[in-house]
Amino acid sequence: METIYYDVFVIGSGIAGQTAAKACTKKGLKVAIADNRIYGGTCAIRGCDPKKVLMQFADLMQKSSQLKDLGVTEVPKIDWKTVQKFKTFFTQPVPLATEEDLSQLGIDLYHQSPKFISKNEVLVEGKTITADKFVIATGLLPRPLNIKGSNLLKTSDALLNMKSIPNSAVFIGSGYVGMEFSYMLAAMGCKVTLIELSDQPLAPFDAFLVDKLVKVLEKMGITFIFQAKPLAIEKLKKNVKLTYEKDGEEFTLKARKIFNTSGRVPAIKKLDVEQADIKADATGIIVNDYMQSTSHSHVYACGDVSSKSLPLTPLSGLQGYIAGHNIVNGNTKTFEDPLVPSIVFTHPQLAMVGYSEAEAKSRYKNIKVYKGDASKWYNAKKENAEVYAYKILVNERTDTIVGAHLLSNQANETINILTMAINTGMTVTEFKKQIFTYPSYSNDLKSMLKDKD
């Protein structure tokens, strides 16, 4: 069998893989990329970007419902087929454009998942490939649920490509995906039930704000069932049935669709990484600060599949750049965890950046907690919003902001202002001197940092 040689062989065509490949080929290295799915990665095709296109229609429905009888006489009807067609305007061009972009740079493209057959060889499309360096950037996949009938479960891919809104749906898992799509379907009139193994959703987020968000979503019609363990899925004539256990008893739920939103795991199973002595665990390929495998010096991993990454596109691009730079120039750049804001695109939105209250109190001697419900403030009242709340954490000794947690209609934007404040070491006194537009959610941030009488 013919062996084909490359300087660098990249596995995965998302932002991380593309960035690493481009960095290497621009320095004259012979590069190839392989992907077993269409080129372009998760975010642009089956993740963040199409989700946001769809989510804005749920937001429109929710905001119209809030203002009904206050000037809105009728909640609009959504033509879902047209919405889906609009979404493809963003997703459809991505694979071809990505392939053309990479090909024009002289990068060879493979359309299959490679398998490592030795420390420096992979098998792909029936060809043996050898390379000096490998970059693994395969991202994440939905976590498999090992229960009877799990093949009947749908994933986020199906959610993004629904031809119509189902009458009823069950979500197993209440992380980002479960909460966002539960909200979206509920806003569109679907009867939604969310099953969660633990006692609250969105574990990384502040419980004070999560509790308020759950209450809003319950008023929308979402049913939450906590501390429940899924046992089996069964196909009925029209519906799908879930059997679950709670408090030692078994219960059943019927719905048109049941979605697995229990989380995601590193997409490495098909790669046979053990054949190349590439160490991996539940967090992904284990890498050092150079994005280099700790067990195989010729292998780099970047993006969601690396042990050092959160599943966020900006981090994937940064890590891809670092991996590519270090392959070309030797290990001279390290990955340092940046301050990363996170957002849940429900309505209201839930955002956080920096430390949680528990983390801040364990790190600093004295923490000042600015916490409150702003539902009576102007910006909430003008929208007839159910809730508006916040928690901001300040190191009392230095007067600097060290953590921020927001629940509002504009949290995805205003959290960025607090991110910059933390990054620059801005004190509360300095922050409150800033002049923002009025009346705006940004301007509200200063009011959140006022001591209560």
Side-chain angles (χ1 to χ4, degrees):
M1 183 183 294
E2 179 188 6
T3 298
I4 303 171
Y5 168 80
Y6 292 99
D7 294 308
V8 182
F9 191 85
V10 179
I11 308 172
S13 68
I15 292 298
Q18 289 181 51
T19 304
K22 290 175 181 179
C24 294
T25 197
K26 285 176 180 178
K27 291 297 183 179
L29 300 183
K30 186 180 180 183
V31 180
I33 289 187
D35 202 316
N36 66 337
R37 302 190 70 170
I38 57 177
Y39 272 58
T42 296
C43 190
I45 301 172
R46 51 188 178 270
C48 324
D49 292 357
K51 177 191 72 178
K52 281 288 286 175
V53 173
L54 302 183
M55 202 67 73
Q56 67 184 336
F57 292 93
D59 292 342
L60 173 63
M61 294 291 284
Q62 180 62 15
K63 290 184 76 171
S64 298
S65 296
Q66 286 174 197
L67 295 173
K68 192 172 185 301
D69 301 327
L70 298 172
V72 174
T73 57
E74 189 175 347
V75 176
K77 293 182 179 178
I78 301 296
D79 182 345
W80 191 253
K81 288 184 179 178
T82 304
V83 170
Q84 285 287 9
K85 186 177 179 180
F86 178 53
K87 181 206 70 180
T88 62
F89 174 79
F90 297 90
T91 57
Q92 197 170 40
V94 173
L96 181 59
T98 303
E99 290 198 26
E100 287 179 347
D101 183 31
L102 296 171
S103 295
Q104 286 173 5
L105 291 171
I107 297 171
D108 290 346
L109 310 180
Y110 293 84
H111 297 82
Q112 194 182 76
S113 181
K115 292 183 182 293
F116 281 93
I117 55 176
S118 73
K119 291 196 75 168
N120 67 337
E121 293 176 307
V122 294
L123 185 64
V124 60
E125 292 185 359
K127 305 177 182 70
T128 300
I129 306 291
T130 183
D132 286 342
K133 297 288 192 298
F134 291 90
V135 177
I136 301 175
T138 46
L140 303 174
L141 291 172
R143 182 189 307 278
L145 283 179
N146 298 316
I147 60 175
K148 184 179 178 182
S150 60
N151 60 300
L152 298 169
L153 291 168
K154 304 296 183 181
T155 65
S156 57
D157 284 12
L159 280 160
L160 290 168
N161 294 300
M162 290 183 300
K163 293 181 180 178
S164 61
I165 301 296
N167 295 330
S168 56
V170 172
F171 290 82
I172 301 175
S174 62
Y176 291 81
V177 177
M179 290 290 279
E180 289 175 345
F181 282 109
S182 290
Y183 153 69
M184 186 185 82
L185 292 192
M188 296 291 179
C190 177
K191 181 183 178 183
V192 175
T193 303
L194 200 149
I195 301 284
E196 170 57 43
L197 190 61
S198 65
D199 59 0
Q200 76 163 56
L202 297 170
F205 287 83
D206 186 83
F208 166 67
L209 299 182
V210 170
D211 183 60
K212 290 180 178 294
L213 175 59
V214 167
K215 285 180 169 60
V216 172
L217 297 178
E218 285 176 333
K219 285 185 179 180
M220 284 182 61
I222 298 176
T223 300
F224 289 85
I225 303 175
F226 296 116
Q227 295 181 312
K229 180 182 179 182
L231 299 176
I233 312 292
E234 180 184 347
K235 182 76 174 77
L236 305 177
K237 189 173 182 180
K238 288 186 177 180
N239 295 315
V240 189
K241 183 173 77 173
L242 167 68
T243 302
Y244 67 94
E245 180 184 339
K246 179 176 172 62
D247 299 327
E249 294 185 51
E250 287 190 9
F251 301 89
T252 61
L253 275 172
K254 296 177 184 177
R256 289 297 174 91
K257 304 284 184 183
I258 301 181
F259 297 99
N260 174 13
T261 52
S262 61
R264 297 172 74 82
V265 295
I268 54 178
K269 187 175 181 180
K270 292 183 178 180
L271 301 181
D272 290 346
V273 293
E274 63 279 356
Q275 299 297 322
D277 192 31
I278 301 168
K279 295 276 191 274
D281 61 16
T283 66
I285 305 294
I286 301 173
V287 296
N288 57 27
D289 290 340
Y290 300 109
M291 308 312 300
Q292 180 184 45
S293 166
T294 58
S295 61
H296 190 327
S297 62
H298 290 191
V299 172
Y300 291 75
C302 49
D304 298 353
V305 78
S306 83
S307 62
K308 286 188 176 291
S309 188
L310 292 170
L312 300 168
T313 298
L315 287 187
S316 295
L318 174 60
Q319 291 189 353
Y321 165 73
I322 291 171
H325 173 92
N326 287 337
I327 288 171
V328 171
N329 301 293
N331 288 344
T332 56
K333 280 193 181 295
T334 59
F335 175 73
E336 298 176 7
D337 282 324
L339 183 68
V340 181
S342 294
I343 178 75
V344 184
F345 285 105
T346 47
H347 192 101
Q349 299 161 357
L350 179 62
M352 69 174 181
V353 67
Y355 294 121
S356 68
E357 184 175 348
E359 289 169 337
K361 286 180 175 177
S362 68
R363 187 175 182 88
Y364 303 104
K365 187 174 181 180
N366 293 304
I367 287 292
K368 198 165 189 177
V369 179
Y370 294 88
K371 167 184 171 182
D373 190 310
S375 301
K376 303 284 187 197
W377 293 11
Y378 170 78
N379 277 313
K381 288 173 70 176
K382 74 176 171 57
E383 297 178 358
N384 198 29
E386 288 276 356
V387 68
Y388 179 17
Y390 61 92
K391 182 185 285 187
I392 301 177
L393 309 166
V394 172
N395 179 353
E396 199 162 18
R397 182 181 66 82
T398 61
D399 195 39
T400 53
I401 302 167
V402 297
H405 308 263
L406 303 174
L407 182 65
S408 82
N409 184 39
Q410 294 293 321
N412 68 316
E413 296 294 347
T414 52
I415 198 68
N416 293 323
I417 294 172
L418 291 167
T419 301
M420 287 192 289
I422 297 173
N423 264 324
T424 57
M426 188 177 287
T427 66
V428 171
T429 302
E430 292 168 337
F431 188 85
K432 287 160 71 173
K433 289 179 180 177
Q434 305 304 306
I435 304 299
F436 298 123
T437 56
Y438 177 87
S440 67
Y441 279 90
S442 297
N443 195 63
D444 284 350
L445 299 176
K446 294 192 292 182
S447 297
M448 292 176 186
L449 289 166
K450 288 182 180 177
D451 291 318
K452 291 189 171 65
D453 295 333

